[in-house]
Amino acid sequence: MESSQLQQIPKKSLKNNVYFKITTIIIIVLLLLVPTAMVHNLIQEREQTQNQAIEEVSSKWAGAQTLVAPVLSIPYIKYVRETSKKDTTEKIVAVKDYIHILPDNLEITGTINPEKRNRGIYDIVVYNSKVEITGTFKALDFSALDILPQNIKLDKTEFVVGIDDLRGIEKQVELQWNNQQLFFNPGVSSTDVVASGINAAVLVDPLQKENYRFKLTLDLKGSQNLYFVPVGKVTDVKLNSSWPNPSFTGAFLPDSRSVAESGFKANWNVLHLNRNYPQMWTGSRFDLDASAFGIDLLLPVDNYQKAYRSVQYAILFIGFTFLVFFFIEVLNKVFIHPIQYILVGVALIVFYTLLLSISEHISFDLAFIVSALSTLLLIAGYVRAILKSSKLTLLLSAILVILYAFIFVIIQLQDYALLIGSIGIFVILALSMYFSRQIDWYNLNLSEKANKNE
């Protein structure tokens, strides 16, 4: 090896030089944490850019939708004591509040037709859906509320359907209320239950003993998520779609589901005993959204999450590569300059930027292979140039291949990442202890081979 790569180290200072080299390597590893953190930030920035693209498309299409359907909201007058701020006298004032009644039986059947939209290099999932809502309300009985009948404004009863983003409504919505056909109006009179939605004025009769039947069909579009709130005493939701990668989320999972390449089918059955609010109440006492459930139309691969997980092992990757370099120095009595350590470390970090940028255009697995192969060839060529040894180059290349394969397996096996990672670190430690077991750290001699290679 040329004198610029190999240096003769006097015996007297050998001990100090070994410790100095170890200290130098540790400092280099710590310094490389700075660009590693920059890669972390870059991944987060790209992910944020993707989220902004999703929000931009959603703002022009329609956002995630949550259906709260239906609720009967009936205004009533209640009397409360009010204290005057001027003379501290009390007086009785009339205040309008609302009675909210949920259906006895609720059946929802929906078909979701997803589409992929593009904003730059990013894919966004939007959907059109047709949702049919049927069910019944029990005959009205206000005895449990302790409200005088004359204070209840039955002629102002509203049939309310909560919809998060009203831009998603594509057609006029008609309501069949018993034998009547009614049309909806935008907005809601009370925000006790829902903040946004549509309403229809319906006729109710306190003397009627029969249940009220209702039916409506909703053509609704949205982005990525579609949720339902189980407002029925018995709520049955059936969904089907051609999307092959659904994520069933929320307060309840489907009672039955089937997922295939051609799409999915799912069925939820929720009882009023499964949620924490009654069938009838007054005011804004309860948060219905906490019981929402539904689907998330996931994209097949989240490249940023996988890239982020791979970067988490960067310090292990760099540290072990440097450890191999150090053992090569010790066992083969050569000297590798700290600058050469730094260049190899930077190459290892550039792998992650390659992985991130390439995975935005092709599949993550293929991007990983391309990035790993490029980095491997770069480091192997550099090691061959500085060590002048094909044997050592092949050894280091084989170790890097094993490391990249190890990281790739961990990324794929998300549920077992901790187990596989722990076993891998244990094996690395065991191999390091095995190959260093016979090294006499106080009597190393690098000078002989250095002289031969000069």
Side-chain angles (χ1 to χ4, degrees):
M1 181 178 290
E2 297 178 3
S3 58
S4 59
Q5 282 89 29
L6 298 176
Q7 299 180 4
Q8 183 174 342
I9 302 177
K11 269 188 174 183
K12 295 179 181 179
S13 61
L14 181 60
K15 177 180 176 181
N16 292 333
N17 281 327
V18 170
Y19 291 156
F20 174 76
K21 175 53 69 72
I22 293 175
T23 303
T24 302
I25 292 173
I26 293 174
I27 292 174
I28 292 173
V29 171
L30 294 177
L31 289 176
L32 288 174
L33 289 178
V34 175
T36 301
M38 295 173 65
V39 174
H40 272 269
N41 295 335
L42 180 61
I43 295 173
Q44 293 175 354
E45 179 184 338
R46 299 299 291 177
E47 187 173 25
Q48 185 178 9
T49 302
Q50 182 190 44
N51 293 335
Q52 290 173 351
I54 293 174
E55 291 176 3
E56 183 180 351
V57 172
S58 299
S59 67
K60 294 176 173 58
W61 179 263
Q65 300 284 18
T66 299
L67 284 180
V68 185
V71 179
L72 285 184
S73 292
I74 306 173
Y76 75 99
I77 301 298
K78 66 178 181 179
Y79 297 92
V80 297
R81 293 180 181 273
E82 187 177 272
T83 302
S84 174
K85 295 182 180 180
K86 294 182 179 180
D87 52 10
T88 67
T89 58
E90 289 187 350
K91 60 179 179 179
I92 304 298
V93 296
V95 178
K96 184 169 75 170
D97 203 352
Y98 283 84
I99 302 169
H100 304 291
I101 305 173
L102 303 183
D104 194 57
N105 179 63
L106 177 63
E107 294 183 5
I108 300 176
T109 304
T111 300
I112 303 171
N113 300 309
E115 300 177 21
K116 273 188 181 181
R117 298 294 175 95
N118 302 102
R119 177 63 67 188
I121 63 173
Y122 301 108
D123 292 328
I124 296 96
V125 183
V126 298
Y127 60 83
N128 287 283
S129 66
K130 182 178 281 294
V131 181
E132 184 178 88
I133 303 172
T134 60
T136 59
F137 282 92
K138 292 182 66 175
L140 301 182
D141 181 7
F142 303 109
S143 59
L145 297 179
D146 194 23
I147 299 175
L148 296 176
Q150 61 268 27
N151 291 337
I152 301 174
K153 307 299 182 181
L154 293 176
D155 58 329
K156 302 295 183 181
T157 301
E158 290 183 355
F159 184 100
V160 176
V161 176
I163 302 172
D164 279 355
D165 194 338
L166 296 180
R167 294 171 304 170
I169 300 176
E170 295 191 286
K171 296 181 181 179
Q172 178 64 267
V173 186
E174 298 181 5
L175 170 64
Q176 293 183 16
W177 178 255
N178 281 346
N179 297 320
Q180 292 180 308
Q181 187 172 0
L182 306 170
F183 291 94
F184 280 87
N185 301 308
V188 292
S189 298
S190 168
T191 57
D192 291 344
V193 180
V194 296
S196 174
I198 55 178
N199 76 89
V202 294
L203 296 177
V204 294
D205 186 351
L207 300 178
Q208 180 174 321
K209 301 302 181 183
E210 297 179 356
N211 292 341
Y212 296 92
R213 300 182 307 277
F214 63 87
K215 179 179 179 181
L216 66 134
T217 300
L218 193 61
D219 291 283
L220 187 67
K221 62 182 182 181
S223 300
Q224 197 161 1
N225 300 327
L226 179 60
Y227 295 120
F228 303 88
V229 175
V231 293
K233 192 171 185 179
V234 177
T235 301
D236 189 72
V237 178
K238 296 178 181 178
L239 295 179
N240 68 84
S241 174
S242 59
W243 190 254
N245 299 288
S247 173
F248 302 103
T249 62
F252 303 96
L253 293 177
D255 293 278
S256 62
R257 63 181 180 179
S258 62
V259 181
E261 289 296 325
S262 58
F264 73 88
K265 294 181 179 179
N267 174 238
W268 290 262
N269 188 267
V270 183
L271 304 178
H272 73 298
L273 298 175
N274 304 136
R275 24 151 255 224
N276 195 30
Y277 47 87
Q279 289 300 108
M280 181 168 60
W281 72 92
T282 60
S284 56
R285 304 182 188 179
F286 302 100
D287 178 19
L288 274 62
D289 287 342
S291 62
F293 61 88
I295 61 161
D296 184 353
L297 302 177
L298 289 176
L299 288 170
V301 177
D302 191 341
N303 293 337
Y304 297 115
Q305 288 298 318
K306 287 190 173 183
Y308 184 80
R309 289 171 56 203
S310 67
V311 173
Q312 290 178 322
Y313 296 94
I315 185 64
L316 172 65
F317 207 107
I318 295 170
F320 186 67
T321 302
F322 283 6
L323 183 64
V324 172
F325 269 67
F326 179 72
F327 280 164
I328 288 175
E329 286 193 78
V330 171
L331 297 176
N332 293 274
K333 299 180 177 62
V334 297
F335 182 81
I336 301 175
H337 197 276
I339 294 297
Q340 295 166 335
Y341 274 92
I342 293 174
L343 290 175
V344 171
V346 172
L348 293 174
I349 292 175
V350 169
F351 159 76
Y352 296 104
T353 60
L354 283 175
L355 175 62
L356 175 62
S357 58
I358 296 175
S359 67
E360 291 183 334
H361 301 277
I362 61 177
S363 69
F364 183 87
D365 292 351
L366 183 57
F368 191 98
I369 294 173
V370 172
S371 303
L373 184 60
S374 301
T375 306
L376 179 62
L377 291 175
L378 176 63
I379 294 177
Y382 185 64
V383 170
R384 179 67 180 84
I386 64 175
L387 295 183
K388 308 297 185 183
S389 171
S390 299
K391 180 180 178 181
L392 294 179
T393 302
L394 289 175
L395 174 63
L396 183 63
S397 299
I399 292 173
L400 288 177
V401 169
I402 293 173
L403 282 175
Y404 279 122
F406 172 64
I407 300 298
F408 185 78
V409 169
I410 288 179
I411 293 173
Q412 301 302 318
L413 301 176
Q414 181 173 356
D415 294 338
Y416 298 96
L418 179 60
L419 175 62
I420 300 300
S422 300
I423 294 175
I425 293 173
F426 179 83
V427 171
I428 289 173
L429 178 61
L431 290 174
S432 301
M433 296 173 69
Y434 176 80
F435 286 108
S436 64
R437 71 192 188 281
Q438 294 181 346
I439 296 177
D440 186 353
W441 299 100
Y442 292 103
N443 295 288
L444 295 175
N445 188 355
L446 303 182
S447 60
E448 181 180 352
K449 189 166 183 176
N451 289 330
K452 289 180 180 180
N453 286 275
E454 286 182 344

